[in-house]
Amino acid sequence: MSYLQLPVIDLSAADRGPQVRALLHAQLHSAAHDVGFFQLTGHGVTEAETAALTGAMRAFFALPEADRLAVSNLNSPHFRGYTRTGDERTGGSRDWRDQLDIGAERPAHVPAPGEPGYWWLEGPNQWPAALPALRTAALGWIDRLSGVAHKLLHELLAAIGAPPDFYDDVFADRPHLHLKLVRYPGSAGDGSDQGVGAHKDYGFLTLLHQDEIGGLQVQRGDGLFHEVPPIPGAFVVNLGELLEVATNGYLLATNHRVVSPPGATERYSVPFFYNPRLDARIAPLPFPHATDAPGVTTDPANPLFAEYGRNELKGWLRAHPQVAARHHQDLLVPA
C-alpha cells in the first residue's frame, strides 16, 4: 500500500448527478473507514476568501509582541486569545508554536450552580485593536467552513448508509465552532521538533488549511507517521473521536502531529473544528455496517465522556495549564 498521498476527494461531485455522487460516496466511505484523513477539493471556498484570512493572520503574527500579548489567553476564562510559543502542551510536552484561538462570538456563559463546568468554553473572543480586519476575516471563515463541514458530514453519513441528517440536532442552535490561527516559528532552540505532538481531535470534523511548507504527519496502517504534502486550494480533513465512538470504531479518528520546519522557516496553518453543542450527547449512528465495526480504541489516560463538552474541557485544561491554574482551579483534578 502506498502512503505517499492521502485520498483526494472532490466535494462538488455531490452536485453532479447520481452516478458521480455514488462514486463520491464510495471514495468517502473508504477514506473515512480505512484512513480517517483525506484532502478535500471542490469545496467552493475561493482563493480570494482564503487570501483575506491568511493575510489577516500573517498581519497578526507580524504585530509587536506587546500587541499580541494584549489579547493573551491568560486573560480569558474561555481559553480564547493568544498563546505564546511553547505555552501549549500536547501529551504533556511543549508545542513549539504560537497561535490565536477563536470561537463563535457569544456572550460569556458563566456556569450557574449545578451547571457543568464546560460552559466556561462559551464566551467572547479577544481581538487586537490594531487589526480590525482580523475579526471580519476570522468570523467569516467560521461561517464559511461551517457550511462546507455541514455538507461534508451529510455526504459522509450517506456514504456509509446512515441518515444524512442524523446529527443535525446536535449542531442546531449553538454548535461549538473553533478556529486556530497557528504559526510554527521553526525549530526550538533545544533541538525539539514537536510543532504539535501526536493526538486525535475530540469532535466531528476538522478542516485544515496549510501553507506550502509542510510538516503535517498522519499515522497510517503501518504504524508510522507519513507526511501530508500540501495541495494548493485543498483542505486536509480528519475525523474526530466523536465519529469513531458514534460508529463503534467503523470510522477512524487518526493520530497526527506536526514536525517543526527546519531552522528559522515559518509555517502557517488554520485548523477549523466543526463540533456540536457542548451539552450534546452523541447517540450511536444507525448504519448497515455497524456489525462490522471493530470497537473503539480505548486509552485509559484519555477517557471519553457522553457529553461532548466534558471531553472538550478536559482537553483545554490539559493543553493550557497556565489558563487552567489562573481561572479554573476548582475544575482541576488532583494528581
Side-chain angles (χ1 to χ4, degrees), residues 103-124:
E105 190 71 78
R106 296 191 180 120
H109 186 157
V110 177
E115 278 196 312
Y118 56 66
W119 287 117
W120 279 112
L121 300 177
E122 199 167 90

Side-chain angles (χ1 to χ4, degrees), residues 29-152:
H29 188 158
S30 175
H33 175 56
D34 298 329
V35 187
F37 262 84
F38 52 90
Q39 302 248 29
L40 187 73
T41 63
H43 43 69
V45 178
T46 66
E47 288 185 21
E49 289 173 305
T50 304
L53 179 75
T54 56
M57 172 175 64
R58 288 175 180 265
F60 171 76
F61 287 112
L63 291 174
E65 185 180 46
D67 288 354
R68 284 178 275 132
L69 289 176
V71 293
S72 168
N73 68 350
L74 294 175
N75 304 329
S76 170
H78 317 294
F79 295 88
R80 305 290 177 84
Y82 176 67
T83 304
R84 293 186 305 178
T85 303
D87 278 358
E88 187 176 20
R89 299 285 189 272
T90 300
S93 298
R94 176 184 71 173
D95 292 329
W96 199 245
R97 63 179 182 175
D98 59 346
Q99 64 194 28
L100 186 68
D101 282 293
I102 301 163
E105 190 71 78
R106 296 191 180 120
H109 186 157
V110 177
E115 278 196 312
Y118 56 66
W119 287 117
W120 279 112
L121 300 177
E122 199 167 90
N125 295 296
Q126 297 189 81
W127 303 106
L131 196 60
L134 180 63
R135 184 182 192 277
T136 301
L139 294 181
W141 193 257
I142 287 174
D143 286 345
R144 190 74 170 86
L145 263 64
S146 292
V148 175
H150 175 80
K151 179 178 182 178
L152 175 60

Side-chain angles (χ1 to χ4, degrees), residues 27 29 35 107 128 158 181 184 195 207 210 221 229 233 237 252 263 279-280 288:
Q27 294 171 330
H29 188 158
V35 187
L181 308 181
Y184 298 88
L207 279 67
Q210 60 171 342
V237 176
L252 291 181
D279 60 348

